[in-house]
Amino acid sequence: MGRLKELRKYVDSELNKLDEDKRNSAIVHLYGVSLAATMIAKKRGLDVEIASMAAMLHDMNAYKTGSYDDHAHKGAELARDILSTLQLTDETETDIICSAIYHHDDKLVVDSPMDEALKDADVIHHCMNDLSKPIKEKEQARFDRLCEEFGM
Ligand SMILES: [Fe+2]
């Protein structure tokens, strides 16, 4: 089994512990961000698999605890625990994934290319999952840049 598939199997098993509503929105978001991260990483010449894996884990702490309080930083710690248990990544890859998760809520600043890929993937899903919903002010500029980058 490929490692993305293996990671998704783990994520699915964790999400299956949630009640139905929470589980559905978690699945929609994590898989949606994962697909967006793959597209962005491919466009920018980054590692698509690592981008997708970071996306699959990026909000796991929030879903598991039911709280978004400091969820990016706590999420990076949880991702490190999960990745060290699953043994799917080497040390450098684990650091890249955890950095992307750690920074993913800092939408107004620019970090490393993989950090930016995850932030942008998160914004694409927030903004495009339901186009009738208003775009958050802190995500508007980033979404505008993405639309330009992807010719939308
Ligand atoms: Fe997210």
Side-chain angles (χ1 to χ4, degrees):
M1 193 189 321
R3 57 186 182 163
L4 178 58
K5 192 170 178 187
E6 200 156 321
L7 181 65
R8 284 176 168 160
K9 205 171 140 186
Y10 170 81
V11 169
D12 292 345
S13 72
E14 286 297 301
L15 297 180
N16 278 335
K17 297 173 187 168
L18 304 175
D19 68 50
E20 198 181 340
D21 271 6
K22 247 175 112 179
R23 181 171 65 241
N24 287 342
S25 61
I27 289 170
V28 167
H29 184 60
L30 294 182
Y31 279 85
V33 176
S34 176
L35 178 62
T38 301
M39 290 177 63
I40 292 166
K42 186 153 176 70
K43 173 98 175 22
R44 297 178 187 170
L46 302 171
D47 186 319
V48 291
E49 194 179 28
I50 294 301
S52 191
M53 290 173 83
M56 286 307 301
L57 293 173
H58 84 282
D59 278 339
M60 281 300 281
N61 178 268
Y63 294 129
K64 276 176 78 99
T65 63
S67 164
Y68 279 86
D69 184 36
D70 203 23
H71 83 287
H73 300 162
K74 290 175 185 164
E77 277 174 44
L78 175 64
R80 193 170 289 281
D81 290 346
I82 293 168
L83 291 170
S84 84
T85 304
L86 296 180
Q87 296 278 302
L88 300 169
T89 46
D90 65 25
E91 210 178 306
T92 307
E93 291 170 332
T94 299
D95 286 345
I96 292 170
I97 290 171
C98 294
S99 170
I101 295 171
Y102 186 91
H103 292 109
H104 88 268
D105 208 23
D106 304 330
K107 300 288 198 302
L108 298 175
V109 297
V110 175
D111 291 295
S112 79
M114 190 61 83
D115 297 350
E116 290 302 298
L118 180 58
K119 290 181 207 182
D120 286 343
D122 203 22
V123 165
I124 285 190
H125 198 258
H126 291 157
C127 298
M128 301 195 85
N129 188 48
D130 179 352
L131 285 172
S132 70
K133 276 171 64 177
I135 290 168
K136 287 184 198 153
E137 204 179 310
K138 69 169 187 172
E139 296 191 331
Q140 184 72 61
R142 195 172 273 276
F143 185 58
D144 291 344
R145 284 196 298 275
L146 280 160
C147 287
E148 207 175 302
E149 181 181 355
F150 283 85
M152 297 188 287

